[in-house]
Amino acid sequence: GTAMEDVKAEKRAEVDAWRDKVRCSGVSLGGYTFDSDPTAMVNITGWVTAVNAGIPLPEGFSWRTQDNNDIPFQEEDVKALAAAIVLKTTLCYQRAWALKAQINEFTDPNKYQELQTLDITTNWPE
């Protein structure tokens, strides 16, 4: 491909890597930061399914923060954490799609340097 196509491909890869980094960086809930990586998503989704099926949380149920503190969780906390992770994931993908659309708009070879220096690290969800 052309130099422009090569740098577009590099930029898209940077966007994907940054998206995954932000998406997995954790979510805040009730003043605590919890993991938001795919493993955390699977774990919380399992508990949401159980809660929605009427399965009670075990006695003393808690969820561990990123800095390894166990926080007592009720059914509503389980649902709120799942919602926070799903929302962050969706917002990260939306930001990535917007950036990729911006990258795709670069067609003028004179804008090569501008594309190469495009900052893809701003305006991501917290």
Side-chain angles (χ1 to χ4, degrees):
T2 65
M4 195 67 153
E5 289 307 315
D6 291 348
V7 78
K8 279 184 179 184
E10 284 171 27
K11 277 292 176 186
R12 284 192 285 265
E14 279 179 40
V15 168
D16 286 347
W18 196 262
R19 175 202 67 210
D20 291 342
K21 178 184 172 187
V22 174
R23 184 169 69 98
C24 296
S25 65
V27 294
S28 294
L29 185 69
Y32 302 101
T33 303
F34 296 94
D35 287 340
S36 61
D37 59 21
T39 301
M41 176 64 98
V42 167
N43 291 340
I44 199 71
T45 300
W47 278 109
V48 168
T49 302
V51 164
N52 287 341
I55 298 166
L57 296 176
E59 190 67 38
F61 185 81
S62 64
W63 206 263
R64 189 159 277 209
T65 62
Q66 262 187 352
D67 57 357
N68 296 319
N69 289 305
D70 293 324
I71 307 303
F73 258 37
Q74 305 298 323
E75 283 84 356
E76 60 270 16
D77 301 313
V78 168
K79 291 179 183 181
L81 180 57
I85 295 172
V86 170
L87 178 60
K88 182 164 192 173
T89 297
T90 298
L91 293 174
C92 284
Y93 273 93
Q94 287 174 339
R95 178 67 183 132
W97 296 332
L99 280 166
K100 287 178 185 179
Q102 193 180 342
I103 290 163
N104 289 340
E105 285 169 14
F106 281 89
T107 52
D108 181 352
N110 296 324
K111 302 273 183 139
Y112 179 85
Q113 192 66 40
E114 190 183 326
L115 174 59
Q116 214 169 25
T117 58
L118 180 68
D119 183 4
I120 57 100
T121 64
T122 59
N123 299 319
W124 290 87
E126 288 294 309

